[in-house]
Amino acid sequence: MSTSAFPEPVAAAVPAPLPYHRLALARARRTWWQPLLTGVLALAFYAAMIAILFIGLMIVAFEVPAVDRVVESMLVTDAWFDLDQPGLFVLLVVPLILMIPALLAASRIVQGRGVGMLWSVAGRIRWSLLGRTLVVAFVIMAAFFAASLGLDALRGEPIVFEATHPGIPAMLILVVLLVPFQAAAEEYVFRGYLMQLIGRWLRHPAFAILLPVPLFVLGHGYDIWGSLDIAAFAIIAGWLSWRTGGLEAAIAMHIANNVLIFVMASFSLVDGNATEGTPIGLVSSVIMMLVYAAIVARRGGAERPQAASRSSASRIV
């Protein structure tokens, strides 16, 4: 009997998994205009939360002199990192943290289930990956910052270490408690929402990585060298988000960088309010971030194949 009478079964087509920047296509609602509406609604939620925060702050300021002094300083200062007024640091960081609930709520309302895909292809924060990359980031950046201070000392530049200020313990507690959420919030918006917004229409990851960079730079008031440093950070963080399929590695880099800088600023090793950069600082910073990215890309796990496909969107909550 001819075997041609029994043709080989044809395998059913399996939808290709989506990379991180294209995950808007895997959401429960994925019409082309919905990511834009998500951004508009998130801005409205954010403005409402900021208004409530500062109205409440003004009310409390009438009754609490310490809060009144913080509010008065807030209206005139450009030095938000001040050991004598840790409340200024709180007022700098907390409004940034509020971007997370504003965007999360808007995304769930407009785009439906699958809001966790703003974090990663797994539909959630991958805590083990975040923990591993945090360790790598802190080790690499601490070593680079220590080397930088050592080179400054060799060049004869004075190194100031002040550990007696009474505001140091409070500031260190605030840095450890608040900065991780501030870093996560910025990544959630600039490497999460904006990358997936652009990836909804433009397939190549370069668009999703590069186009949000100017907005991220504009959100930081640095000079040309500092702005180039911020741009390099945004590009490397965007590439890491695409490469690892989520925000964890970028969040870890952001947390380690900011925590270490603010800790050093608490001991007067660096200026926590500096807005100027240098060519040498730019080069060393880029090298530091590239070393981190290379290690993460090699050891952190390429998890893009786990990305959800369009057909599995209904099972993601």
Side-chain angles (χ1 to χ4, degrees), residues 16-173:
L18 293 167
Y20 176 73
H21 69 293
R22 301 278 285 168
L23 287 182
L25 294 171
R27 296 294 297 275
R29 305 178 194 134
R30 49 184 179 269
T31 308
W32 68 268
W33 50 266
Q34 285 175 323
L36 286 173
L37 181 58
T38 294
V40 173
L41 186 60
L43 282 174
F45 285 159
Y46 184 68
M49 286 190 287
I50 293 296
I52 293 170
L53 174 66
F54 281 98
I55 290 172
L57 189 65
M58 294 299 179
I59 294 172
V60 174
F62 281 112
E63 301 294 335
V64 183
V67 176
D68 185 53
R69 288 193 296 271
V70 171
V71 172
E72 290 179 356
S73 299
M74 175 192 71
L75 298 176
V76 298
T77 188
D78 56 359
W80 292 85
F81 189 89
D82 186 345
L83 290 175
D84 292 315
Q85 295 193 79
L88 285 174
F89 182 74
V90 174
L91 290 179
L92 171 68
V93 174
V94 168
L96 297 174
I97 295 173
L98 292 178
M99 294 190 296
I100 294 178
L103 179 56
L104 191 152
S107 180
R108 181 64 176 86
I109 291 170
V110 176
Q111 294 176 267
R113 290 173 297 178
V115 69
M117 284 187 283
L118 283 168
W119 291 111
S120 78
V121 294
R124 55 179 174 77
I125 298 176
R126 296 166 296 181
W127 293 105
S128 61
L129 179 58
L130 179 60
R132 294 197 306 272
T133 51
L134 265 176
V135 172
V136 174
F138 270 106
V139 169
I140 290 174
M141 292 188 176
F144 267 84
F145 288 148
S148 177
L149 291 172
L151 290 174
D152 288 343
L154 290 175
R155 289 197 297 265
E157 298 182 15
I159 304 298
V160 178
F161 181 81
E162 172 59 58
T164 61
H165 194 288
I168 290 176
M171 186 61 75
L172 293 178
I173 291 171

Side-chain angles (χ1 to χ4, degrees), residues 69-294:
R69 288 193 296 271
V70 171
V71 172
E72 290 179 356
S73 299
M74 175 192 71
L75 298 176
V76 298
T77 188
D78 56 359
W80 292 85
F81 189 89
D82 186 345
L83 290 175
D84 292 315
Q85 295 193 79
L88 285 174
F89 182 74
V90 174
L91 290 179
L92 171 68
V93 174
V94 168
L96 297 174
I97 295 173
L98 292 178
M99 294 190 296
I100 294 178
L103 179 56
L104 191 152
S107 180
R108 181 64 176 86
I109 291 170
V110 176
Q111 294 176 267
R113 290 173 297 178
V115 69
M117 284 187 283
L118 283 168
W119 291 111
S120 78
V121 294
R124 55 179 174 77
I125 298 176
R126 296 166 296 181
W127 293 105
S128 61
L129 179 58
L130 179 60
R132 294 197 306 272
T133 51
L134 265 176
V135 172
V136 174
F138 270 106
V139 169
I140 290 174
M141 292 188 176
F144 267 84
F145 288 148
S148 177
L149 291 172
L151 290 174
D152 288 343
L154 290 175
R155 289 197 297 265
E157 298 182 15
I159 304 298
V160 178
F161 181 81
E162 172 59 58
T164 61
H165 194 288
I168 290 176
M171 186 61 75
L172 293 178
I173 291 171
L174 290 175
V175 167
V176 171
L177 291 179
L178 296 179
V179 167
F181 293 100
Q182 168 259 322
E186 292 188 23
E187 295 307 312
Y188 198 50
V189 172
F190 289 97
R191 256 66 67 184
Y193 168 69
L194 287 180
M195 280 187 67
Q196 292 187 10
L197 171 68
I198 294 166
R200 172 61 181 78
W201 303 306
L202 301 174
R203 181 183 298 273
H204 199 282
F207 294 109
I209 293 170
L210 296 176
L211 290 181
V213 171
L215 285 176
F216 190 67
V217 172
L218 288 174
H220 299 74
Y222 293 104
D223 68 355
I224 181 60
W225 296 111
S227 295
L228 289 174
D229 196 341
I230 294 296
F233 179 96
I235 292 169
I236 293 170
W239 181 84
L240 281 169
S241 299
W242 169 77
R243 176 67 177 79
T244 63
L247 299 178
E248 295 88 355
I251 290 173
M253 182 171 68
H254 207 144
I255 291 174
N257 180 79
N258 288 10
V259 165
L260 288 172
I261 287 176
F262 284 130
V263 167
M264 290 190 297
S266 297
F267 294 101
S268 302
L269 291 168
V270 298
D271 182 0
N273 297 299
T275 58
E276 301 83 19
T278 64
I280 294 176
L282 171 63
V283 172
S284 63
S285 179
V286 170
I287 292 173
M288 175 180 68
M289 291 185 290
L290 288 175
V291 170
Y292 169 74

